[in-house]
Amino acid sequence: MEARIRSLVEPIARELGVEVLQVNLGSGGHSQMLRVVIDKRGGVDSDTLERISRGLSLQLDAEDLIAGQYRLEISSPGLSWPLTTAADFARYEGEWVKVMFPDGDSLEGTNLGPVEGGFRLQDADGEHTFAMAEVAKVTRAINWKAVSGKKKK
């Protein structure tokens, strides 16, 4: 079912210049919940979210794919969305990320983009290359030092 829904939303997303990251149909209380996560380099504005919601709603109603009532949620990923693919690292190249390692340590820096099987990161100590197998999770983060304009002592 999710693959069929994806096939309906992807042409709409392509037309608007966004990528479909996830389609999830699950229980949402008294009705089913359909969640679609979209994004593009630089982020997605509310007009794009609304246009995809309207377009997909019309498609779903015409196809009558989901029996009974359902709720549709179109959103962009938050900061906690894990970066796992080369496309993710390319989409968020130049952005601040947090790398979490299996031993609990973490490192923050600028995402320099994907490399074969991993990604590159720039931090205060220089440039690093990590294989995805070396990390537990990578997410976007806020560079509080840059935002506040203050340097740590």
Side-chain angles (χ1 to χ4, degrees):
M1 175 72 79
E2 290 169 348
R4 179 69 181 118
I5 294 168
R6 182 181 279 274
S7 74
L8 294 175
V9 73
E10 282 187 339
I12 301 165
R14 269 194 307 274
E15 184 178 311
L16 296 172
V18 298
E19 183 181 350
V20 178
L21 302 181
Q22 183 181 66
V23 174
N24 184 291
L25 180 62
S27 176
H30 298 291
S31 60
Q32 292 190 76
M33 169 66 82
L34 174 57
R35 287 188 175 97
V36 178
V37 180
I38 62 169
D39 206 8
K40 70 175 183 177
R41 188 176 189 96
V44 179
D45 60 26
S46 60
D47 182 57
T48 301
L49 294 169
E50 183 180 338
R51 289 176 67 189
I52 289 180
S53 179
R54 277 197 212 135
L56 182 56
S57 289
L58 289 171
Q59 290 284 340
L60 290 170
D61 290 347
E63 298 280 333
D64 199 24
L65 286 178
I66 303 172
Q69 293 184 339
Y70 68 91
R71 291 181 296 151
L72 175 60
E73 177 183 292
I74 309 291
S75 65
S76 60
L79 288 177
S80 62
W81 185 266
L83 281 63
T84 59
T85 66
D88 291 337
F89 286 96
R91 185 180 318 105
Y92 302 118
E93 188 170 339
E95 293 192 27
W96 195 256
V97 295
K98 181 176 184 176
V99 181
M100 289 148 277
F101 297 96
D103 66 2
D105 284 345
S106 66
L107 178 67
E108 291 190 19
T110 303
N111 168 24
L112 298 178
V115 297
E116 184 66 36
F119 62 97
R120 294 178 308 124
L121 180 89
Q122 175 76 45
D123 71 358
D125 295 328
E127 186 177 315
H128 310 277
T129 300
F130 296 102
M132 287 306 295
E134 293 179 88
V135 302
K137 187 175 182 181
V138 182
T139 61
R140 292 182 296 154
I142 297 172
N143 181 350
W144 291 108
K145 193 161 82 172
V147 170
S148 69
K150 298 177 184 176
K151 294 186 177 187
K152 285 186 176 178
K153 293 183 180 180

